[in-house]
Amino acid sequence: MALPPTQLRLLLVCAFLPLVVGAVDSAVLSMAGSSHWSGEMTFGVLALFLVQASAVSYAAGRWLPNWNWRLLLLGWLTLRVDLLLYSTSVVSHSDYGVRSELLVVGFYASQVSLAIIWGILGSLEWRRRLAGAALAAAPALQFLLQINAERRYSTAAWLTVALVQAIGVVGICGLMRVLGYRIDNGPDTRSDGAALQFTIGHMLVWTVAAAIIVSVARQVGMYAPGQYGLREWMQLIIAGTVLAIVALVAMWMVLGAGRGIVTTVIALAIAASAGAFLWYLESRIAKGGTAYWLPFGGDWWLGWTLLAEPFLAGLLLVFSATGYRLVWRRRIGGSA
């Protein structure tokens, strides 16, 4: 006798899909070990985590019947990815080791950003939102603390960037909530037909405003005296701020208006530009000599913006697949 459609989807998504993910991970991690975790292989493994997170998140939102099943599957996914990320940071002992930690920290920071975004912009009652956000962020925070305890000097700079990114995401999302934005599954238009969704115009305004702040900070960082490490601290603060902007772009790409190939291309172009800017900024500051505690990220900043931030977008697909959008809910003339 054939299974009912709901049970068949549960079987495929909650049983078959995890088996496929596990088999693929086993094969790819074995290849990475054989290559002694080269830089290219490390990028490949993290790109695999990005693809898996996107596929599982979309499948959970699209085909599972309720949020209990969705959260169960996403909880399994994030815990598995967290463990594998930690293992990646441990075994990457080649010349790429320190810089691979940059990407690992970036992936954990994206999970924290996801928790912040839902905790602030979600549409549930605030106690439930904050409790869910704390629970979602706890594994990533625990692994970040563990990495810091084991490799304090090599990861301190990256953790500082992650902290600034988190603070930036809190600030952006907090201001958006004050202005009336929510992640909700209600209608996308007002009664008068005006669009309520977060559009590319909104995103560009926020990005330009933040870019002006970053530009001013960059000038301060370029010409600040280096003997007290001010330039290095300014670099880390600018990096965290830029990455918070990229997190906003990732949220717009998945939950804002205008989804599709054009939106994806624009978002990836902004992410690539952000990574190139951070690489350039670091190289300029490094010409004057940098503090001993500041590792050189180089082109791996592109990995943070093009792998770790899209990882955030992939996790947000569970909301998009269930009809949630970033919308404006404040009343204007009683019509919203």
Side-chain angles (χ1 to χ4, degrees):
M1 185 175 65
L3 290 174
T6 300
Q7 294 184 16
L8 181 60
R9 287 195 296 267
L10 282 174
L11 180 64
L12 291 175
V13 176
C14 292
F16 180 70
L17 185 58
L19 288 175
V20 172
V21 168
V24 172
D25 283 346
S26 178
V28 173
L29 292 175
S30 178
M31 292 171 56
S34 300
S35 70
H36 303 289
W37 286 90
S38 65
E40 294 79 6
M41 202 66 220
T42 301
F43 263 96
V45 169
L46 295 176
L48 173 66
F49 295 160
L50 164 61
V51 172
Q52 288 178 347
S54 302
V56 172
S57 181
Y58 178 81
R62 182 70 176 82
W63 291 307
L64 293 184
N66 56 57
W67 278 102
N68 291 332
W69 284 105
R70 292 165 191 155
L71 294 177
L72 178 65
L73 184 61
L74 285 178
W76 166 83
L77 171 72
T78 53
L79 285 175
R80 178 182 178 82
V81 170
D82 286 345
L83 288 168
L84 292 175
L85 285 171
Y86 178 73
S87 300
T88 300
S89 72
V90 170
V91 300
S92 297
H93 291 309
S94 65
D95 292 338
Y96 297 98
V98 172
R99 287 193 284 176
S100 68
E101 290 171 358
L102 177 150
L103 294 186
V104 170
V105 170
F107 271 69
Y108 285 134
S110 292
Q111 291 184 47
V112 175
S113 295
L114 172 70
I116 293 171
I117 288 170
W118 174 248
I120 297 178
L121 293 177
S123 54
L124 295 178
E125 192 266 337
W126 70 270
R127 293 182 184 86
R128 296 173 63 189
R129 288 201 321 272
L130 295 184
L135 185 61
L141 292 174
Q142 177 59 41
F143 281 109
L144 285 172
L145 292 174
Q146 185 68 24
I147 291 174
N148 181 56
E150 294 177 357
R151 289 177 294 282
R152 184 180 303 273
Y153 294 106
S154 63
T155 61
W158 314 143
L159 291 172
T160 301
V161 172
L163 175 61
V164 176
Q165 175 182 336
I167 294 172
V169 173
V170 168
I172 291 172
C173 291
L175 183 55
M176 291 179 71
R177 184 158 189 102
V178 170
L179 294 175
Y181 288 99
R182 304 288 187 272
I183 296 175
D184 200 355
N185 60 351
D188 295 339
T189 58
R190 298 200 321 233
S191 59
D192 60 2
L196 285 173
Q197 280 192 261
F198 191 73
T199 66
I200 187 173
H202 298 126
M203 190 270 296
L204 289 176
V205 169
W206 285 77
T207 302
V208 170
I212 294 173
I213 298 173
V214 169
S215 178
V216 173
R218 172 178 171 271
Q219 295 303 315
V220 174
M222 287 292 188
Y223 300 106
Q227 62 267 31
Y228 298 111
L230 177 58
R231 289 182 304 177
E232 289 79 6
W233 281 109
M234 288 300 298
Q235 175 192 331
L236 298 181
I237 292 172
I238 291 171
T241 304
V242 169
L243 292 168
I245 298 170
V246 178
L248 171 67
V249 173
M251 179 172 59
W252 163 73
M253 180 175 68
V254 178
L255 300 176
R259 293 172 304 282
I261 186 65
V262 175
T263 300
T264 303
V265 169
I266 293 173
L268 292 178
I270 293 174
S273 300
F277 167 76
L278 294 178
W279 184 6
Y280 166 76
L281 176 68
E282 182 182 63
S283 63
R284 285 290 304 274
I285 289 179
K287 287 183 178 179
T290 57
Y292 70 92
W293 48 265
L294 183 63
F296 188 75
D299 55 346
W300 286 58
W301 285 113
L302 287 165
W304 192 317
T305 59
L306 290 174
L307 287 178
E309 298 298 353
F311 179 69
L312 167 62
L315 293 174
L316 285 168
L317 282 174
V318 69
F319 295 107
S320 176
T322 51
Y324 281 79
R325 299 291 181 264
L326 182 60
V327 296
W328 189 65
R329 288 291 177 236
R330 171 158 295 189
R331 289 181 176 272
I332 293 184
S335 60

